[in-house]
Amino acid sequence: MIENGAVLPMFYLPPVSWFSKLNQFKPNAVIEREENFPKQTYRNRANIYSPDGLLPLVVPVIKGSKNHTQVKDVKISYDFRWQRLHWMSLQACYRRSAYFEYYEADFAPFYEKRYEYLFDYNNELLALLLKLTKIKYEPIFTHEYLAQYPNHTDLRNGFSAKTESSGQQKAYFQVFEERKGFLKDLSIADLLFNQGPQAVNYL
């Protein structure tokens, strides 16, 4: 294991702060693949800006995926058409943004193709997000679960989907900011659709 790196969780459309940490610790950032799946985290949810304010998008997982199931073994549920809901939400929230149409064709396949495992889905989305943000990072994954990493910054519990981020974040233009003001630490999708190629400079 590389020293002086960080251990990051694998998220769905991660928040801006996740990419800031990745940028800070790359190439010595390691992504956790062996942990048990914790509920109500960004591992299967993302926050975007809707006309009514914060809107969580949740990828449903198959029941039973919650009790001591390793995150790499968690399966996505298709009991309802969540992909259609997420894609319609992204379109409704960002159609007016400067760069949504620019990236639309890149994101659309993730809301059409069915993925069996949440980790694989998030990993393929991450590859796209790294390309679009121009962050040069080749993902490294854990091969066993370790409770502690003495030589690493452990960020596996460092991001909360339930409470507002306490970190500082510079404001950028958001489509509905005249309604609710600047909402910080939303999904990287919010930054990309609003800032486009400037996202990398922001990060």
Side-chain angles (χ1 to χ4, degrees), residues 24-78:
Q24 180 184 339
F25 287 102
K26 69 177 172 60
N28 299 340
V30 181
I31 294 176
E32 176 61 83
R33 206 176 74 114
E34 306 296 328
E35 65 179 354
N36 286 341
F37 178 70
K39 291 189 286 186
Q40 297 191 320
T41 69
Y42 289 124
R43 285 158 184 83
N44 68 321
R45 69 180 58 212
N47 289 332
I48 63 172
Y49 204 148
S50 81
D52 299 317
L54 194 72
L55 176 66
L57 300 178
V58 180
V59 179
V61 297
I62 289 175
K63 298 289 181 263
S65 285
K66 298 193 171 114
N67 303 322
H68 310 301
T69 304
Q70 285 184 306
V71 72
K72 65 182 179 184
D73 296 326
V74 170
K75 292 185 177 182
I76 297 173
S77 168
Y78 292 94

Side-chain angles (χ1 to χ4, degrees), residues 89-187:
S89 298
L90 287 166
Q91 288 177 312
C93 294
Y94 296 108
R95 178 62 71 199
R96 283 174 48 204
S97 69
Y99 293 96
F100 181 79
E101 289 184 2
Y102 189 69
Y103 296 126
E104 188 174 7
D106 293 311
F107 281 90
F110 289 94
Y111 299 96
E112 295 161 0
K113 178 183 170 184
R114 283 195 173 202
Y115 289 77
E116 185 175 8
Y117 292 99
L118 177 67
F119 194 91
D120 295 343
Y121 180 60
N122 288 347
N123 190 32
E124 286 201 26
L125 253 177
L126 176 61
L128 170 66
L129 294 166
L130 290 170
K131 186 178 95 175
L132 298 183
T133 53
K134 298 183 174 64
I135 293 175
K136 290 181 168 44
Y137 168 70
E138 195 61 47
I140 306 163
F141 303 107
T142 57
H143 295 293
E144 60 178 331
Y145 178 76
L146 299 176
Q148 293 178 310
Y149 285 90
N151 300 318
H152 275 56
T153 302
D154 189 344
L155 295 169
R156 290 174 293 183
N157 299 312
F159 308 88
S160 171
K162 288 296 181 187
T163 57
E164 186 180 317
S165 166
S166 58
Q168 293 297 311
Q169 189 184 350
K170 196 175 72 176
Y172 58 86
F173 174 78
Q174 292 172 321
V175 176
F176 300 111
E177 68 181 18
E178 76 280 359
R179 302 189 187 201
K180 304 282 183 181
F182 177 71
L183 296 187
K184 66 178 183 179
D185 211 23
L186 297 182
S187 166

